[in-house]
Structure formats: C-alpha cells, structure tokens
C-alpha cells in the first residue's frame, strides 16, 4: 500500500484532496507535512524547519492545487519541534492550531536559541560540533515566528469544507503535546513524529507507554494511508515496527537500569540489532536518558546540550 508513493522529495497526491510533502532522507530536520483541501478550503499539517523550505513546499502546493501560502486557512502543528512549525510565518493570515502542551514547548525553544547553538558550533565542544553538523542545511536566523492562535487539549473536531478532521492529542510521547490529524472520511492520518519510518524514533518526553499506546491507536483506525513525521508514507506494518522498537529499547534500558549502569553506559552498551541500520541510530542516547528519568520517577531533565554530547559520543562509537 505505502509503496504507491515513491519516497522522493516533493508533493505526493494521496487522493481525495489530500497531499503529502516528503523530504528524504527523513533524518534530522527533514520532516514531512501535508495538505487537506476541499474546494477552496484548506488545512496545512505542519510547516518545515525554515522559511525557505516552507516557501518551496507552498509554491509546489500552489502549482498543483491553486492553494498557495496566501490561501491556507488553517495550520495544525502536530508538535513543538521547529522542523514542524518554523515555517508558520509563511502564512501570516492562517489560523494556527496546536495542543496547549505544544504551545508551551514552542516558547521554550525559540529559533534564536537554535541559531545561537549552531553559530557557536565547536566552541561548545563535541555537542556543539554535532549540533552544527546535523543542522547545517537549515536557516534559523531568518524565521518569522508565528505561535499558535488557538489551542486545545484532548481532541478537537474541525471541518475543511465538507471534510471532517479530528485532532487527537496523544502526547506526551515524542514531545509533550503530540497530535494526530485524522481524516476519517478519506481513511488517512498524518501522525507527526509519533512515526519515524526507517529512522530512529526520538523520545524527548515519554512515557514510553503513551507512545506505544499512540501507535496502537493508529493501528486501530480505519485508515489506508499513514503519513509519518519523517520517512516514507507507510501502512500499519510500519506503525508496528515503531512500537516494536520502543518496546525493545524499554526492555534493554530497564535491564541496564536494574543492573546499575548509568544512562551513558547503557546507551553505549545496547546492541541495536535489527534497528542498527535505521537512520540516526545515536538517538538511542536520548531514548535511554528519557527512560531512565521515567524509571527514577524524579522528573529530572538532562540539559539538552549534554544529550547532544552523548549522541555525538554514541555516533562515534557506532562508527568504529
């Protein structure tokens, strides 16, 4: 089913007025987005990591559908990470909807902070060098930031023309406020970063059980088309693989936590097996750190640059 849409950069018509914008290889910052339209009504699912990328996407949408930046009525940001919301300013007239938790998180990590980390680069040590390397293609200096104009918790029902759209909050999981965008009449769902396909999921928030439950909710939906936050359009088998990875990491991390290993030691020790060839495998470092926080129950959050330093160390170890 998913193979109907080739995993190449650009706009994919997934039928009945729905489109996916794909950005291979789906690694750091290379996120997907979507368009839902009915006549002149439109809803954009996520923007991209910077304004230039978002303009390119909106121009392609305008060419294919006649609905460009100035005609987008609503944007739904599936979560707070910048690769899903930094392009909001390309549509200054659009209503922007996000979960309340996502809106709070957006305020915590403004584009200027990312620009500063990237600019300092190796001055910040291995963490800064790694950060500057993975985010080199993106422009954080020229972001016309637009925050949500409307928020919700739990669920929200929308209409795009005559199409019913359901927003379903499933976070905290990947982040604090993850949202699924379900179009039941067209048997499709846009998942944001609840799904990374052929790339390593990244658990900034957790708990892991919430994320697995979100996967189960997608599997229970009557859908044929599943557009992930990163990677190719997928099917329910792809969703199961993400849930299996999360369960695997939970088991492996728990065993090492119980054995008294530190989060760093555990991240370096876990053999990824079948998941070793997924992109950005060093994210195991963040996943283990979040799981350890969950196991401890103390809510103590590791500074983000410490996590980037650990990912850099794990990446180096994996390459040896």
């Amino acid at each position: 089913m998913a193979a109907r849409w080739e995993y190449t950069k650009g706009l994919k018509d997934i039928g009945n007025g729905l489109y996916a914008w794909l950005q291979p290889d789906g690694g750091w910052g290379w996120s997907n987005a979507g368009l839902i339209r009915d006549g002149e009504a439109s809803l954009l699912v996520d923007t991209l990591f910077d304004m230039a990328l978002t303009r390119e996407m909106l121009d392609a949408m305008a060419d294919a559908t006649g609905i460009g930046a100035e005609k987008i009525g609503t944007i739904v940001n599936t979560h707070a990470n910048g690769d899903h919301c930094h392009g909001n300013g390309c549509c200054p007239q659009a209503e922007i909807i996000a979960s309340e938790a996502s809106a709070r998180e957006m305020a915590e990590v403004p584009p200027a902070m990312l620009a500063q980390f990237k600019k300092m680069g190796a001055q910040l040590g291995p963490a800064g060098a790694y950060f500057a390397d993975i985010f080199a293609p993106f422009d954080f200096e020229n972001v016309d930031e637009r925050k949500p104009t409307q928020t919700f918790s739990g669920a929200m029902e929308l209409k795009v023309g005559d199409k019913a759209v359901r927003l379903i909050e499933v976070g905290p999981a990947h982040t604090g406020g993850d949202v699924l965008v379900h179009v039941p009449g067209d048997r499709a769902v846009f998942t944001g970063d609840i799904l990374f396909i052929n790339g390593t999921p990244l658990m900034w928030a957790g708990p892991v059980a919430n994320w697995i439950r979100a996967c189960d909710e997608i599997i229970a939906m009557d859908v044929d088309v599943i557009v992930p936050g990163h990677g190719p359009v997928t099917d329910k088998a792809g969703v199961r693989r993400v849930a299996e990875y999360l369960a695997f990491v939970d088991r492996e991390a728990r065993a090492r936590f119980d054995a008294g290993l530190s989060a760093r030691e555990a991240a370096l020790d876990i053999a990824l097996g079948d998941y070793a060839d997924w992109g950005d495998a060093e994210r195991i470092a963040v996943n283990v750190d979040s799981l350890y926080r969950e196991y401890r129950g103390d809510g103590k959050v590791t500074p983000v640059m410490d996590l980037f330093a650990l990912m850099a160390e794990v990446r180096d170890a994996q390459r040896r």
Side-chain angles (χ1 to χ4, degrees), residues 86-101:
H86 277 182
N88 286 355
C90 291
C91 301
Q93 78 295 331
E95 182 91 355
I96 301 174
I97 302 174
S99 67
E100 289 182 12

Side-chain angles (χ1 to χ4, degrees), residues 98-283:
S99 67
E100 289 182 12
S102 285
R104 289 193 296 271
E105 284 190 323
M106 286 177 197
E108 293 169 3
V109 187
M113 180 186 296
L114 302 183
Q116 184 66 16
F117 285 156
K118 182 179 169 184
K119 189 173 184 179
M120 293 183 70
Q123 298 175 54
L124 298 173
Y130 174 76
F131 188 98
D133 176 42
I134 61 175
F135 294 136
F138 309 107
D139 177 11
F140 304 139
E141 300 270 0
N142 299 292
V143 175
D144 182 9
E145 190 175 16
R146 284 198 70 211
K147 295 178 181 177
T149 58
Q150 184 176 358
T151 61
F152 73 100
S153 293
M156 183 174 179
E157 304 284 338
L158 298 175
K159 283 279 196 174
V160 179
D162 291 330
K163 288 184 187 292
V165 177
R166 299 172 61 229
L167 308 184
I168 306 163
E169 186 178 18
V170 292
H174 164 62
T175 63
D178 306 288
V179 169
L180 307 176
V181 181
H182 183 205
V183 191
D186 294 324
R187 300 167 61 92
V189 61
F190 298 84
T191 72
D193 284 2
I194 291 299
L195 295 183
F196 293 74
I197 300 300
N198 300 332
T200 303
L202 180 61
M203 186 163 55
W204 293 116
V208 67
N210 271 11
W211 197 335
I212 293 172
R213 192 176 304 117
C215 291
D216 290 341
E217 186 161 353
I218 296 166
I219 291 166
M221 289 178 175
D222 181 17
V223 293
D224 296 322
V225 180
I226 301 170
V227 181
H230 295 258
V233 177
T234 194
D235 54 21
K236 292 183 180 181
V239 184
R240 291 187 186 96
R241 286 286 285 158
V242 172
E244 288 163 1
Y245 170 87
L246 295 167
F248 164 80
V249 174
D250 187 20
R251 288 192 304 272
E252 296 293 320
R254 185 81 217 200
R256 287 159 179 79
F257 177 84
D258 291 343
L261 273 69
S262 68
R264 174 183 173 275
E265 291 167 336
L268 289 164
D269 187 59
I270 292 172
L272 292 173
D274 292 344
Y275 308 107
D277 62 348
W278 283 10
D280 307 312
E282 68 272 16
R283 291 172 177 169

